[in-house]
Amino acid sequence: MIAFFDLFDYVLTDFEIWQRLSLKCELIEVIIVLENLTNKFPRPPLAKGDNNIENKNGFYFLAGQEKNVRVRLSRYNFTDRKFKRALLVSKIFKFIPWLKMIAIGNLLGDHNLKDDSDLDFFIVAEDKRIWLTRFFCAGTAKLLGFRPRANNSRDKICLSFYASGQAMDLSSLMINPLLNGADNTDDIYFIYWLAGLTPLYDVNGVYKKFMAANSWLKNYLPNWQPLQPSSRRQIKPFLWEFYYDLVDLFIGGLESQFKALQLKLLPPRLKNLMNQDSRVVVNNQIIKLHANDRRSEYREKYYRKIYEIFK
């Protein structure tokens, strides 16, 4: 797991390692093992490859990657700036009455954002209103200049993943999921992405319901607990029922028309990939438009790194 996060120049604390282990254990057990692995005193090797972990300032990383401690610390400033942009956009989006949850999904919501990266929003919409929600989210972001461009994605908002309240269990979107849930290496990126979602906007406890729908994560990460976000990074819901009823009365019945319009405008590349696999999924419950889905690539890089460590 330390090797996987090394792909993203990301170092981990003992608590983060414990939460992301596929083995059920106590935090103190992880601390003891890590101290043994990084002990500078001479000792018999525990296993092949066990001398490949180092630590500094409370962070653990592969041997020779001490520079990534500085990388992680530098990203705190980038993340703070990006969170401010994400909160601003969420304050605007909350006027879309069918929007029930906004979360940041850049693999790790906690301070692992590069200076030039965009912000990946994952959005939960009301049932039978997912296409309306997408239209107003994407349209508003475009009008305000928040959408990424080919030559400019810095602090922009990527809006490529929506789920309705009836489709919050995302297990079907994994690539090659294992039936027994004994390992997470077949879609390790998706597992960590889902566990790292950081909610910004939550109407009537939808985030809690979302995590309950994905309780199967415990099969892969038995020590993991859903994030308890800071109140300063939460947008209070817009709960004027009169406003919701009024907007839904005039527009809510146009879901199918808004769907047809957006499908017509969908780029040819996405149309060609639509519903062929889990990269681009388009229906009335899920809209996932990740033509450049790199999960398989990251999995192969992870396997190669593990092979290099233990060969």
Side-chain angles (χ1 to χ4, degrees):
M1 174 246 298
I2 292 176
F4 176 77
F5 283 95
D6 183 73
L7 297 175
F8 305 93
D9 302 326
Y10 195 74
V11 296
L12 298 164
T13 65
D14 48 21
F15 179 78
E16 291 168 340
I17 292 170
W18 173 67
Q19 282 223 316
R20 290 163 176 83
L21 279 179
S22 58
L23 175 68
K24 179 68 174 176
C25 60
E26 298 295 329
L27 174 59
I28 187 61
E29 297 177 89
V30 172
I31 293 173
I32 291 172
V33 170
L34 288 171
E35 287 181 348
N36 286 335
L37 290 176
T38 56
N39 193 334
K40 301 301 182 183
F41 296 103
R43 58 176 174 79
L46 300 177
K48 190 174 182 179
D50 75 330
N51 291 314
N52 284 278
I53 298 175
E54 297 178 354
N55 76 312
K56 181 180 180 180
N57 298 338
F59 297 111
Y60 294 86
F61 45 88
L62 294 183
Q65 298 298 326
E66 182 179 324
K67 62 180 177 59
N68 289 338
V69 174
R70 295 190 297 274
V71 171
R72 171 161 180 173
L73 294 176
S74 71
R75 287 179 181 173
Y76 278 93
N77 293 329
F78 305 148
T79 301
D80 189 61
R81 185 188 75 231
K82 291 175 185 294
F83 259 103
K84 290 178 181 177
R85 169 60 64 89
L87 290 172
L88 171 63
V89 175
S90 298
K91 287 179 181 178
I92 298 170
F93 279 6
K94 77 176 184 177
F95 289 95
I96 300 171
W98 314 285
L99 197 155
K100 300 304 179 184
M101 187 184 87
I102 301 173
I104 293 180
N106 294 61
L107 181 62
L108 286 171
D110 50 342
H111 311 98
N112 188 32
L113 299 171
K114 297 179 181 178
D115 184 32
D116 59 352
S117 70
D118 58 13
L119 288 155
D120 292 328
F121 272 22
F122 170 70
I123 289 174
V124 175
E126 183 177 325
D127 296 334
K128 300 180 181 180
R129 297 292 186 269
I130 189 172
W131 289 99
L132 280 164
T133 301
R134 179 181 183 267
F135 177 84
F136 284 101
C137 284
T140 302
K142 186 174 181 65
L143 286 173
L144 295 176
F146 291 155
R147 295 295 300 275
R149 300 184 184 91
N151 60 348
N152 181 17
S153 62
R154 185 174 183 260
D155 296 349
K156 301 299 184 179
I157 307 297
C158 180
L159 296 163
S160 300
F161 200 170
Y162 302 77
S164 77
Q166 290 183 344
M168 291 195 291
D169 180 355
L170 303 184
S171 58
S172 63
L173 298 178
M174 292 178 67
I175 52 173
N176 302 327
L178 299 183
L179 296 178
N180 60 6
D183 197 353
N184 64 10
T185 52
D186 265 26
D187 201 349
I188 187 171
Y189 184 97
F190 189 79
I191 291 293
Y192 289 145
W193 171 86
L194 184 54
L197 281 176
T198 303
L200 302 177
Y201 179 70
D202 179 14
V203 178
N204 295 330
V206 168
Y207 174 68
K208 184 177 181 179
K209 296 173 185 176
F210 174 76
M211 284 304 169
N214 292 282
S215 59
W216 52 267
L217 267 176
K218 283 288 190 176
N219 295 330
Y220 299 94
L221 307 176
N223 306 314
W224 170 81
Q225 294 292 332
L227 182 67
Q228 299 298 322
S230 167
S231 59
R232 70 185 182 89
R233 287 182 171 172
Q234 287 280 285
I235 301 300
K236 293 183 179 180
F238 187 65
L239 296 175
W240 293 359
E241 292 188 13
F242 174 76
Y243 170 81
Y244 169 86
D245 292 340
L246 185 63
V247 176
D248 197 65
L249 175 66
F250 283 98
I251 308 177
L254 300 176
E255 172 78 359
S256 59
Q257 288 88 338
F258 276 81
K259 175 184 178 181
L261 173 63
Q262 291 172 80
L263 288 176
K264 184 178 180 180
L265 297 175
L266 206 63
R269 184 186 181 197
L270 292 174
K271 287 183 179 179
N272 293 334
L273 293 173
M274 194 166 64
N275 298 326
Q276 298 297 313
D277 50 40
S278 62
R279 290 175 295 171
V280 178
V281 179
V282 177
N283 54 53
N284 292 332
Q285 303 294 335
I286 295 285
I287 304 173
K288 181 178 181 292
L289 306 175
H290 293 158
N292 188 30
D293 191 327
R294 301 177 64 187
R295 286 180 287 167
S296 295
E297 174 190 341
Y298 289 136
R299 178 176 60 184
E300 293 305 315
K301 287 183 177 180
Y302 172 63
Y303 285 157
R304 287 198 296 269
K305 188 174 287 288
I306 291 296
Y307 174 77
E308 289 298 319
I309 292 173
F310 289 95
K311 70 177 181 179

